[in-house]
RNA sequence: GUCCCAGUAGCUCAGUGGAUAGAGCGGCUGCCUUCUAAGCAGCUGGCCGCGGGUUCGAAUCCUGCCUGGGACGCCA
């Protein structure tokens, strides 16, 4: 249980007591909010309950604060509490409780900060899902980093998480991709072939064609064109997916499952495909209508601003149809309790119809959350770098990682709220690479690690260190900051806001650097032996917290850093 | 035209209806005989886009406007 929740509980109990005592009478008590005051003089926690109660109770907030405070029965965590104008109650954590947490943290190890708000519910985080028609570029990278950190954190918060990549490999964009590779293949072998109008121009298309020539030879020229394209397409698709997988791996993004769109139309296991089942379900519910030869989903009736085509007059299902089948598969087929989709800003218009479709499938719309990762504008100095997959003129994930590095890249993307458009200046990111927040955090960990390795070198055993000696303000401040990770994990998981992680990491690093400056750990003075042991324990605990934080962000925790 | 996102320090951005609005970078001063100076201490820097409203209390909620970006297909 979080300390915050403990505080809330004792406040609630005190309010009830005040009610029973007849000194405060309110019909419905508001939710009890416990906040972290900005000003450390106001303690570790505060509640504004008296202020919120004042109107209903028709009483002076300070007076209410007094009446409630008197009835609070604090546990061992709390050193003191007091009413504060204009009507807060402030709580201060006790030093000896804080000191004992050092041992709790060490005992928890890499589980420290884990919570159980997910209560084991099955959640899918589906992200990136770039069409396998080209490499991953900068915009996708943001969603990739966001999704992986969010998935990590939700797992830490007690969800059973599946990370999934949806491979859109069944549509007309794929046809254009296949034809583009086919064209380059022919051209490379001296045949005069013309790139289709909607073809992909990037150099990688020719690279793939060249690889295919290496393994398959020129023989495909002899096949009838449709057969050649099918064969080329199959190989090219595999290669492209592999390329994407490698790219994402380079930035530390991995998936539990790669789900192919084509599977939605197969019916190997069930008697009917996911697609058939989903359409049948919509039809049963009266959500489909035929108009001008096409099959429409009546999404207006469910709150969207227009209806959407599911099956074209040509008989071909649309991308939306696949998506309906896919979500049917997620919720009904695989029984996820909750699904989080991370989409790029160019898909934000599709959220209402997807929500409508999900509810038409009999799933509570709130079980589907679509996070929109906003645009990334790329700059190189003053120049804006335009991103267009068609022309092949874009900065890829690969180039970005090569230039900026994986850790800095992840940190930079993570630190911004997903809903905000961001500007990424490559020049700046590279130039500032020696003194930036990434190194600040990692350096704190490296300093931490070097203390521990020196202790190991000297054979110092601090297992029996006495934590009650940790009374220096910087020691207690460090412990306080360390403990906040537990709250943070819950907050990130509940609000789906991984951008708090890097900011927390900065604060943790600051607290550690301050401790490092002011509290010599391994002392040469024999009189300080006991203190050395206690501080080593704190350093070991801090390392646990650094590692956990960096791991959640998917960043490395270097033991050494040297220029 | 409709809808979505944003506007906070010179720049890039945090900020959960609360108490004195923060960080990094930049700029200016200082600090290494002791566990890493990728650090620390100090200074500099703000009509929180503008106007109204709700509230005991608004950067935060509502509303109108301004500015910037995005989405509005039988493409994916």
């Amino acid at each position: 249980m979080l300390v915050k929740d403990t505080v809330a509980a004792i406040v609630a109990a005190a309010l009830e007591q005040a009610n029973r005592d007849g000194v405060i009478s309110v019909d419905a008590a508001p939710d009890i909010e416990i906040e972290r005051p900005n000003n450390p003089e106001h303690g570790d926690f505060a509640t504004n309950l008296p202020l919120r109660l004042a109107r209903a109770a028709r009483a002076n907030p300070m007076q209410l604060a007094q009446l409630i405070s008197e009835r609070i029965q604090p546990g061992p965590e709390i050193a003191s509490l007091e009413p504060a104008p204009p009507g807060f109650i402030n709580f201060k954590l006790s030093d000896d409780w804080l000191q004992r947490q050092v041992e709790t943290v060490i005992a928890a190890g890499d589980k420290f900060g884990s919570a159980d708000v997910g209560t084991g519910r099955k959640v899918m985080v589906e992200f990136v899902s770039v069409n396998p028609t080209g490499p991953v570029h900068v915009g996708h990278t943001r969603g990739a980093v966001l999704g992986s950190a969010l998935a990590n954190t939700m797992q830490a918060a007690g969800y059973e998480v599946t990370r999934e990549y949806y491979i859109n490999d069944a549509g007309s964009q794929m046809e254009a991709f296949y034809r583009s590779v086919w064209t380059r293949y022919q051209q490379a072998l001296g045949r005069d072939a013309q790139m289709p109008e909607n073809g992909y121009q990037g150099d990688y298309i020719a690279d793939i064609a060249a690889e295919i020539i290496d393994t398959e030879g020129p023989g495909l020229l002899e096949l009838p064109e449709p057969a050649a394209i099918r064969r080329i397409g199959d190989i090219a698709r595999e290669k492209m997916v592999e390329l994407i997988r490698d790219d994402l791996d380079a930035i530390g993004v991995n998936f539990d499952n790669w789900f192919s769109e084509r599977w939605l139309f197969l019916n190997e296991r069930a008697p009917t495909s996911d697609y058939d089942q989903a359409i049948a379900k919509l039809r049963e519910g009266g959500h489909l209508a035929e108009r001008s030869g096409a099959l429409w989903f009546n999404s207006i009736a469910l709150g969207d601003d227009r209806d959407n085509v599911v099956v074209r007059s040509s008989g071909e299902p649309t991308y939306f149809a696949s998506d309906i089948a896919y979500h049917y598969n997620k919720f009904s087929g695989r029984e996820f309790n909750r699904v989080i989709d991370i989409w790029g800003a160019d898909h934000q218009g599709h959220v209402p119809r997807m929500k409508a479709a999900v509810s038409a499938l009999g799933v509570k719309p709130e079980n589907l959350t679509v996070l929109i990762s906003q645009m990334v504008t790329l700059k190189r100095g003053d120049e804006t770098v335009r991103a267009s997959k068609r022309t092949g003129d874009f900065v890829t994930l690969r180039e970005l990682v090569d230039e900026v590095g994986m850790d800095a890249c992840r940190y930079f993307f993570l630190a911004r709220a997903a809903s905000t458009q961001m500007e990424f200046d490559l020049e700046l990111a590279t130039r500032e690479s020696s003194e930036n927040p990434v190194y600040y955090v990692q350096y704190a960990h490296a300093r931490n690690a070097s203390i521990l390795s020196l202790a190991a070198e000297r054979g110092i055993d601090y297992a029996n260190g006495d934590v009650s000696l940790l009374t220096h303000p910087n020691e207690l401040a460090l412990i306080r900051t360390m403990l906040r990770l537990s709250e943070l994990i819950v907050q990130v998981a509940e609000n789906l806001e991984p951008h708090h992680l890097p900011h927390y990491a900065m604060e943790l690093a600051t607290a550690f650097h301050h401790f490092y400056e002011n509290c010599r750990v391994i002392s040469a003075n024999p009189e300080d032996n006991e203190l050395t042991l206690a501080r080593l324990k704190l350093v070991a605990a801090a390392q646990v917290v650094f590692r956990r934080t960096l791991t959640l962000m998917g960043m490395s925790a270097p033991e050494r850093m040297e220029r």
Side-chain angles (χ1 to χ4, degrees):
Chain A
M1 189 171 182
L2 298 175
V3 189
K4 190 176 166 182
D5 298 332
T6 309
V7 174
I10 59 178
V11 170
L15 178 61
E16 274 174 40
Q17 186 60 48
N19 228 325
R20 276 195 299 275
D21 293 348
V23 294
I24 297 178
S25 71
V26 281
D27 301 336
D31 281 345
I32 298 193
E33 289 175 9
I34 304 296
E35 61 199 37
R36 292 273 191 178
N38 290 325
N39 185 340
E41 283 170 24
H42 296 141
D44 293 291
F45 296 99
T47 181
N48 58 4
L49 183 70
L51 283 163
R52 291 157 53 84
L53 230 46
R55 171 171 286 202
R58 281 192 295 277
N60 176 310
M62 266 315 276
Q63 207 177 343
L64 291 173
Q66 188 63 45
L67 291 168
I68 296 169
S69 297
E70 284 163 1
R71 287 167 175 79
I72 291 177
Q73 302 191 335
E77 306 90 350
I78 306 299
S80 63
L81 61 101
E82 57 172 4
F88 294 98
I89 303 173
N90 294 337
F91 298 82
K92 197 167 182 302
L93 291 169
S94 79
D95 288 357
D96 54 299
W97 182 81
L98 285 167
Q99 289 154 357
R100 283 201 305 278
Q101 298 317 299
V102 169
E103 290 175 333
T104 309
V105 171
I106 292 172
D110 59 12
K111 298 271 191 305
F112 173 69
S114 290
D116 196 27
V117 292
T119 60
R121 273 172 293 167
K122 276 183 69 176
V123 60
M124 175 192 288
V125 183
E126 184 232 310
F127 58 113
V128 192
S129 301
V130 180
N131 292 0
T133 54
V136 181
H137 68 64
V138 171
H140 305 133
T141 308
R142 182 180 191 184
V145 169
L146 200 75
S148 66
L150 181 62
N152 292 346
T153 311
M154 292 190 81
Q155 204 159 31
Y159 286 93
E160 191 191 314
V161 178
T162 298
R163 300 158 178 81
E164 186 155 294
Y165 187 113
Y166 177 53
I167 310 170
N168 285 137
D169 53 7
S172 60
Q173 302 276 342
M174 281 310 280
E175 282 303 320
F177 169 70
Y178 299 154
R179 286 180 179 279
S180 304
V181 179
W182 169 235
T183 304
R184 293 291 182 230
Y185 176 88
Q186 296 175 92
Q187 289 171 343
L189 292 167
R191 188 184 277 181
D192 183 24
Q194 211 52 43
M195 197 56 143
E197 201 172 301
N198 61 350
Y200 290 89
Q201 304 289 346
D203 292 342
Y204 63 95
I205 298 286
D207 295 344
I208 290 173
E211 284 179 33
I212 293 175
I213 292 171
D214 282 347
T215 55
E216 303 291 308
L220 298 174
L221 288 179
E222 309 307 321
L223 292 176
E225 189 164 60
I229 291 176
R230 204 176 315 127
R231 177 80 188 121
I232 287 259
D234 283 343
I235 303 169
R237 184 180 60 240
E238 291 304 316
K239 284 188 182 296
M240 204 62 242
V241 171
E242 269 317 301
L243 215 114
I244 289 171
R245 201 192 300 259
D246 291 349
D247 280 357
L248 291 168
D249 192 59
I251 198 167
V253 172
N254 299 286
F255 292 87
D256 302 306
N257 199 31
W258 292 70
F259 190 97
S260 168
E261 181 181 2
R262 292 177 304 158
W263 297 347
L264 298 168
F265 299 93
L266 300 176
N267 46 9
E268 280 166 355
R269 269 171 258 167
T272 53
S273 68
D274 287 309
Y275 171 75
D276 295 332
Q277 290 180 45
I279 293 294
K281 181 118 189 175
L282 293 184
R283 206 183 287 280
E284 271 168 41
H287 296 291
L288 298 179
E290 210 137 338
R291 279 202 296 278
S292 47
L295 191 62
W296 292 73
F297 173 60
N298 299 333
S299 30
I300 292 177
L302 293 161
D304 199 359
D305 52 10
R306 60 184 194 88
D307 288 341
N308 294 278
V309 171
V310 174
V311 183
R312 286 179 266 255
S313 42
S314 66
E316 291 253 349
T318 60
Y319 163 82
F320 181 45
S322 296
D323 234 10
I324 293 173
Y326 183 37
H327 283 80
Y328 174 82
N329 171 283
K330 288 175 176 177
F331 283 109
S332 301
R334 286 187 281 169
E335 298 184 327
F336 281 96
N337 307 111
R338 193 166 175 206
V339 170
I340 295 165
D341 293 347
I342 299 179
W343 293 354
D346 52 342
H347 284 64
Q348 45 112 330
H350 304 277
V351 178
R353 73 181 195 189
M354 201 63 244
K355 285 273 199 182
V358 160
S359 93
L361 289 169
V363 175
K364 285 195 205 118
E366 62 263 31
N367 290 349
L368 171 69
T369 309
V370 182
L371 288 184
I372 298 298
S373 118
Q374 286 291 341
M375 293 264 301
V376 179
T377 312
L378 209 56
K379 281 172 51 183
R380 216 181 270 280
D382 291 334
E383 217 171 313
T384 300
V385 183
R386 270 276 141 214
S388 160
K389 212 196 285 191
R390 275 284 157 62
T391 60
D393 172 29
F394 53 89
V395 175
T396 62
L397 179 156
R398 213 30 106 159
E399 291 164 334
L400 189 65
V401 173
D402 288 349
E403 208 168 315
V404 183
M406 166 177 127
D407 286 332
C409 209
R410 287 193 68 106
Y411 189 97
F412 194 85
F413 279 123
L414 270 181
R416 272 90 180 145
S419 59
T420 314
Q421 290 155 210
M422 63 180 283
E423 208 163 76
F424 200 143
D425 188 335
L426 287 165
E427 219 175 76
L428 203 67
T430 315
R431 180 150 44 85
E432 284 180 358
S433 65
S434 61
E435 284 188 18
N436 65 30
V438 183
Y439 292 94
Y440 184 82
V441 173
Q442 291 183 325
Y443 184 55
H445 176 266
R447 277 180 149 183
N448 181 310
S450 82
I451 295 173
L452 293 176
S453 72
L454 180 64
E457 218 171 273
R458 301 209 180 150
I460 306 174
D461 176 11
Y462 52 87
N464 294 319
D466 176 6
V467 290
S468 70
L469 299 175
L470 300 171
T471 54
H472 191 283
N474 290 129
E475 293 168 339
L476 292 167
L478 175 57
I479 299 171
R480 283 185 156 93
T481 308
M482 285 159 48
L483 296 181
R484 280 197 10 236
L485 179 62
S486 315
E487 273 168 52
L488 187 81
I489 287 174
V490 172
Q491 186 194 352
V492 168
E494 283 183 341
N495 302 328
L496 311 179
E497 290 177 341
H499 69 273
H500 296 302
L501 289 167
H503 291 102
Y504 170 75
M506 276 298 287
E507 286 174 36
L508 181 65
T510 301
F512 187 83
H513 285 308
H514 289 178
F515 161 75
Y516 185 95
E517 284 304 315
N518 298 315
C519 303
R520 175 79 200 179
V521 178
I522 299 176
S523 169
N525 184 349
E527 281 175 25
D528 294 335
N529 272 353
E530 288 304 310
L531 186 58
T532 291
L533 300 185
R535 284 181 171 169
L536 279 170
K537 235 178 189 174
L538 174 55
V539 172
Q543 188 177 51
V544 166
V545 185
F546 271 112
R547 285 201 174 140
R548 182 98 214 242
T549 306
L550 288 166
T551 304
L552 289 174
M553 292 192 285
M555 288 172 58
S556 62
E559 302 265 318
R560 301 191 61 79
M561 286 172 75
E562 268 148 321
R563 284 197 182 272

